Each structure stands twice: as structure tokens, then as C-alpha cells.
Amino acid sequence: MITAAPSRIQPPPARPAARWQALWREAVRDPRELLALLGLNAETVGLDEAAAAQFALRVPRGFVARMRHGDPADPLLRQVLPVTEEMRVVPGFGLDAVGDAAARTANGVIQKYRGRALLIATGSCAVHCRYCFRRHFPYAEETAAREGWREAVTAIAADASIEEVLLSGGDPLSLATPKLAELTDALAAIPHLKRLRIHSRLPVVLPERVDAELTAWLAALPWPVAFVIHANHANEFDADVDAAMARLRAAGAQLLNQAVLLRGVNDDVDTLAALSERSFAAGVLPYYLHQLDRVAGVAHYEVDDARARALHAELAARLSGYLVPKLVREIQGDTGKRPL
Ligand SMILES: *Cc1c(COP(=O)(O)O)cnc(C)c1O
Ligand code: SF4
């Protein structure tokens, strides 16, 4: 489970905290405060304390500001609020739905697909997404950043088939930029690496994270960078997010979006079309639309495959080809994400 430990992402005392770190610390963590901010009451939204105890609420205030006041069905609220349905035990929804534990090759390194190594850079996230497949993963022991990234860098250096390193998590941009630079400085000495990929929800949920220090680091990297953001609904974009995307692009990153198909959040064609169009307006190409990973506590978000395919076909019939994400599911043991 991802329980953010803000104390671990603080810079050393000599270095003043960046503005994004202050905003991170000020995130809403009390469900009742969140509901009060939105003019809602706990009973009508199905707030559940046991679900909150299992996977804590966490949401930056800037993201809360994009939620509609007084709307219990708001698509952003539904992604972060702990509700009673999570506590239902549903057959087929287990603890490690995607086989991460089996694919671990070194401390914090997961290698499932040809040419790519995924680093679990950290277990921390600025937002806790209720549907997240990593909510049950034992992160505390598993981050690649431990001991100056030594084990992960050694494993990557030793395998010449790895051309691309993916920074994932948790959210890799939870780490302070100097910590990320420590990794990329070490990786720069490995001749077989051709690309770097960063998977982060931070530019959307806390756009202040894309500060001058981060973009200077990005712009100086020796590889082309694919930056995969994660937005599930057009309402997640606002002017601050647009500006963050523009800064990432100016630093040379290729921006892509992955979304998860979620019942009650984005499971209709108008909403999915709006997401693609809004992403593109921000300079981001749709990449993947994921079918939910079947982990315990997320069954109420599931959209069945037949409906998912139908929605995807409607989307393809409506939008320019480059605005249609690939509909995929991750299946344990596959050589890549499986198209539906
Ligand atoms: C999803 C994933 C990747 C990246 O897959 P792409 O199809 O290239 O986006 C790489 N490694 C792991 C372990 C993954 O889960
Ligand atoms: S979806 Fe991403 S940002 Fe959200 S909790 Fe999971 S890893 Fe963290």
C-alpha cells in the first residue's frame, strides 16, 4: 500500500524546501475536511473510515479546487474518496493482480517486457488514487532509490538488452530533483540506454512540481525523454496544468497520457472524447486507456470488457486517429500490454 511518508522526501536541512514540497505537505488528508471544502456530507457520499484506514486519503488542494462544489458524483472526487464499496470482498480481485512480485529482478526493478526496465523509484504519491493497482504492493522494502540507487543501476548496467529505463512508483517525481539527478548521472555511464521514460501523475495533480529545477534537469538529460502523465478526465486540466505541460515540452519531453477506464468517472464516450481533446490541447497525445487491474477494493470501478470495447469503438469512430488511445489490459506473463 502506498502510504506517503512526507518526512522521507524532504531535502536535507541545508537546502530550502521547494514550493511544491510545501504544497505537498499541505495536501488534504482528512476525508471530512475534503467533504467540508466541497459542501458535502459523509453519509450521502458513502465515506468509509475502514477504507480510509486501509489506504489513506491524500489529495493536493489544487486538485480539490478542480472538483465541482456540492457534487457527490464529481469525477475527480470519485477517484480519491474512500468509500464503503472498497471493503467488499469480490472473487477475482486479489493483492498482486499484475505479477509485480514475480517480475522483480533487483531491489525496486521490475522487468517484464523486452528492452525495458521499470524502476520503482519511491512508494510515495502526491495523490492516492483509490483504483490504484499498487495499493497493496510492499513498497517500503522495494524502492530502487535506496542506497543511492546502487542495486538498480548495477542490474541495468549488467543487462545490455535494456534500452529504456522507466521511472515509476509510486510517483517518481515525489523524489526531490537532486535525488533524480543522482540516478540519471549514474545511468548516463551505461552505453546501452537509449531512452528514458517517466510515468508521473504529479504534473496533473500538483503542477507546481514542474519547477525550474526539474525542467533544467530534464533538458540536460542525454537521452530522448517520453513523459507519460496520468489524467482520467478532462476536468483534471486547468491553466496551471497547461502551463506545466508547456514547461515539460519546452524541456524537450514527448508528452503522452495514460488513463484508466473507471466506472462513474470516465465510462462514456463523450467524457473519453473530451479527455483526448483536452489532453491534445495541452500538448499531450493519448497513449493508453487501461482496463482496471483487478486488485482488492477496486471492483466497483470496473467496466466489463464488452462495454470497454464498445466505448473504444465509438471513440475511434468519432475522433482523429491520433486522439484514440490504445485500449489495453495488463496480463501476468504477457510480453506487453494486451490490446482488448
Ligand atoms: C507497462 C509496463 C512497461 C511499459 O510498457 P509499454 O507498453 O512500453 O508502455 C514496462 N515495464 C513494466 C513492468 C510495465 O508494467
Ligand atoms: S495511480 Fe499513480 S499517482 Fe495514483 S496512487 Fe497509483 S501510483 Fe500513485
Side-chain angles (χ1 to χ4, degrees):
M1 155 156 42
I2 303 166
T3 42
S7 61
R8 264 188 273 131
I9 58 118
Q10 315 266 318
R15 202 172 159 266
R19 181 168 131 75
W20 71 267
Q21 289 169 313
L23 293 168
W24 174 299
R25 277 192 301 276
E26 289 160 14
V28 178
R29 280 183 272 180
D30 175 355
R32 291 185 187 270
E33 183 190 0
L34 174 62
L35 295 178
L37 286 168
L38 296 170
L40 292 167
N41 80 52
E43 287 64 45
T44 56
V45 297
L47 173 65
D48 193 280
E49 305 288 353
Q54 196 187 82
F55 186 45
L57 174 116
R58 173 165 207 113
V59 54
R61 287 174 196 272
F63 196 73
V64 176
R66 292 171 235 159
M67 296 175 184
R68 290 186 294 253
H69 194 87
D71 181 0
D74 178 82
L76 278 54
L77 176 64
R78 289 185 64 105
Q79 295 179 50
V80 302
L81 188 73
V83 294
T84 310
E85 289 152 298
E86 292 175 34
M87 303 311 289
R88 238 185 336 128
V89 175
V90 181
F93 288 75
L95 293 185
D96 180 21
V98 293
D100 273 0
R104 171 193 182 281
T105 57
N107 192 29
V109 182
I110 297 179
Q111 226 175 306
K112 285 186 190 164
Y113 307 146
R114 191 182 159 74
R116 285 152 286 177
L118 183 150
L119 298 196
I120 296 182
T122 166
S124 297
C125 297
V127 64
H128 288 177
C129 313
R130 308 310 300 177
Y131 54 83
C132 183
F133 77 100
R134 298 197 194 281
R135 60 188 282 169
H136 305 290
F137 203 73
Y139 277 105
E141 317 94 72
E142 278 293 340
T143 77
R146 271 203 338 197
E147 290 156 32
W149 307 93
R150 234 180 318 271
E151 218 188 294
V153 171
T154 304
I156 293 162
D159 183 348
S161 76
I162 300 171
E163 298 191 335
E164 179 174 346
V165 169
L166 285 77
L167 302 187
S168 184
D171 197 308
L173 296 194
S174 308
L175 297 174
T177 306
K179 188 74 190 166
L180 297 170
E182 194 180 285
L183 171 68
T184 51
D185 287 351
L187 293 178
I190 301 176
H192 49 265
L193 292 186
K194 295 187 181 150
R195 290 175 294 282
L196 183 74
R197 193 188 323 179
I198 300 168
H199 280 260
S200 173
R201 193 143 160 67
L202 265 159
V204 170
V205 301
L206 190 67
E208 295 82 358
R209 176 66 187 93
V210 185
D211 60 8
E213 190 182 33
L214 185 80
T215 53
W217 167 72
L218 269 179
L221 292 174
W223 321 276
V225 175
F227 200 115
V228 184
I229 66 156
H230 176 176
N232 299 314
H233 194 283
N235 291 3
E236 293 175 43
F237 290 86
D238 67 2
D240 291 339
V241 175
D242 287 341
M245 298 305 156
R247 293 195 292 276
L248 290 171
R249 269 154 44 96
Q254 172 73 58
L255 304 185
L256 303 166
N257 183 45
Q258 61 173 354
V260 181
L261 185 58
L262 298 167
R263 183 166 12 133
V265 173
N266 59 13
D267 61 330
D268 71 85
V269 72
D270 290 335
T271 303
L272 291 170
L275 172 61
S276 278
E277 288 169 355
R278 187 64 184 84
S279 300
F280 187 71
V284 184
L285 280 172
Y287 179 40
Y288 279 144
L289 179 62
H290 288 271
Q291 266 296 45
L292 193 70
D293 294 312
R294 305 186 95 202
V295 295
V298 308
H300 58 291
Y301 286 116
E302 193 171 54
V303 177
D304 68 54
D305 283 357
R307 243 192 101 229
R309 280 196 204 93
L311 282 168
H312 190 252
E314 278 182 70
L315 199 62
R318 183 190 288 206
L319 294 178
S320 301
Y322 61 88
L323 293 181
V324 184
K326 288 182 235 185
L327 178 65
V328 294
R329 154 166 290 132
E330 184 162 352
I331 299 201
Q332 192 165 346
D334 270 17
T335 54
K337 308 287 188 247
R338 184 183 294 187
L340 251 74

